[in-house]
Amino acid sequence: MRVHIGGDHAAFELQRHLVSWLQAEGHEVIDHGPTEYDAQDDYPVFVLRAAEAVAADPDSLGIVLGGSGNGEQMAANKVKGVRAALAYTPELAELARQHNDAQLLSIGGRFTTPEGAEDMVRTFLATPFTGEARHQRRLDMVNAYEQDGTLPNTSA
């Protein structure tokens, strides 16, 4: 699997760990940085590069990392066609793929051990979207809104 990865200084060591681990697991890793520690770097630069690459490469998935993972998820979700999900457990990573067809997993480096990150990433990469009608219907609603602002017509 081709995996795009990007983060910031707050998750620098975890990102370096995941790059090595993913390569050892046989994945093709495209590292969008940072590649050197800089306490003043800005996550949007690296995260948006990773998210854009995933959007342009439908056969890939991505990982974004920061201190909490919140800002990284928010930034990645600004890229048209991208669905990024924040997870702190393998179960959340699994649901992000199964129900929401997320293409990027956001991880909070200050709250996640290397082993915990491996478990989440392994689960995320191995889990397919179910394709169930109810999940696809919801994704279609979000996609329509992203495309042209269309909201579903419902009385609920």
Side-chain angles (χ1 to χ4, degrees), residues 108-143:
R110 291 185 178 138
F111 303 93
T112 308
T113 65
E115 297 76 20
E118 289 174 11
D119 288 343
M120 283 189 288
V121 170
R122 182 183 298 109
T123 299
F124 186 79
L125 298 180
T127 302
F129 174 53
T130 65
E132 288 181 35
R134 66 189 173 114
H135 299 308
Q136 186 60 57
R137 181 178 66 248
R138 294 165 187 159
L139 289 177
D140 291 344
M141 289 177 188
V142 172
N143 290 338

Side-chain angles (χ1 to χ4, degrees), residues 25-79:
E25 292 287 308
H27 298 286
E28 177 187 352
V29 180
I30 296 91
D31 188 352
H32 296 275
T35 57
E36 295 180 10
Y37 180 81
D38 175 357
Q40 298 301 311
D41 68 11
D42 298 309
Y43 68 83
V45 174
F46 308 110
V47 167
L48 290 170
R49 286 178 186 159
E52 286 179 340
V54 169
D57 183 4
D59 294 329
S60 70
L61 292 173
I63 312 295
V64 294
L65 305 100
S68 69
N70 281 309
E72 294 73 23
Q73 175 203 24
M74 291 176 198
N77 279 316
K78 296 297 183 184
V79 175

